[in-house]
């Protein structure tokens, strides 16, 4: 009888050890599944962030190209204004030369007429 009780006790302890091992394995498996799930969620978040950054970078690139185009247009307009200013100065100098020549001719005609 004592040996039977000892065998039953050992059998129950073996069952408990097996259950404890299974529980430990389940806990480890659950933790592993949770970590994998968390890694998957984090990867999806990262993928979403990457796509968002790509869209924003593309928009920024287009906006930068527009700004560069506007600045180049502004520079061209400034050059044209400078060209017009130089042309106006040239015309003004020509007109002064013509005016001086006309004054000289007019004075010469006045002196001829008075003589």
């Amino acid at each position: 009888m004592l040996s039977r009780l000892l065998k039953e006790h050992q059998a129950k302890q073996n069952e408990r050890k097996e259950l404890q091992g299974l529980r430990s394995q389940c806990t480890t498996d659950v933790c592993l599944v949770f970590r994998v799930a968390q890694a998957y969620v984090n990867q999806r978040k990262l993928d979403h962030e990457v796509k968002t950054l790509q869209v924003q970078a593309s928009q920024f690139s287009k906006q930068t190209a527009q700004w560069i185009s506007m600045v180049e247009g502004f520079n061209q307009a400034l050059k044209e204004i400078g060209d017009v200013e130089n042309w106006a100065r040239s015309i003004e100098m020509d007109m002064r030369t013509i005016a001086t020549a006309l004054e000289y001719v007019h004075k010469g005609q006045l002196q001829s007429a008075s003589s």
Side-chain angles (χ1 to χ4, degrees):
M1 175 137 169
L2 190 56
S3 84
R4 188 175 58 114
L5 284 175
L6 181 64
K7 286 181 183 179
E8 286 177 9
H9 176 71
Q10 287 175 346
K12 285 184 181 181
Q13 279 190 341
N14 285 338
E15 282 181 31
R16 285 183 190 149
K17 284 181 183 177
E18 285 179 23
L19 278 173
Q20 185 65 28
L22 288 174
R23 285 182 188 151
S24 176
Q25 183 63 37
C26 285
T27 303
T28 303
D29 290 348
V30 167
C31 288
L32 182 62
V33 168
F34 177 75
R35 287 182 186 155
V36 168
Q38 190 64 42
Y40 178 75
V41 168
N42 290 343
Q43 184 63 43
R44 287 187 51 120
K45 285 180 183 177
L46 287 173
D47 289 344
H48 177 71
E49 288 294 321
V50 165
K51 288 178 184 176
T52 301
L53 286 173
Q54 286 174 336
V55 168
Q56 289 175 347
S58 175
Q59 289 173 345
F60 181 70
S61 177
K62 288 176 185 175
Q63 188 176 26
T64 303
Q66 289 175 344
W67 289 345
I68 289 171
S69 177
M70 287 173 54
V71 168
E72 287 174 351
F74 181 71
N75 283 340
Q76 185 61 33
L78 285 177
K79 286 179 186 176
E80 289 173 4
I81 288 172
D83 291 345
V84 169
E85 186 178 0
N86 287 336
W87 175 79
R89 283 185 189 151
S90 176
I91 294 294
E92 183 181 9
M93 299 243 332
D94 289 347
M95 295 302 287
R96 284 188 182 169
T97 302
I98 291 170
T100 302
L102 287 173
E103 284 179 28
Y104 180 75
V105 169
H106 182 67
K107 284 182 184 177
Q109 287 178 350
L110 286 177
Q111 287 178 357
S112 321
S114 46
S115 319

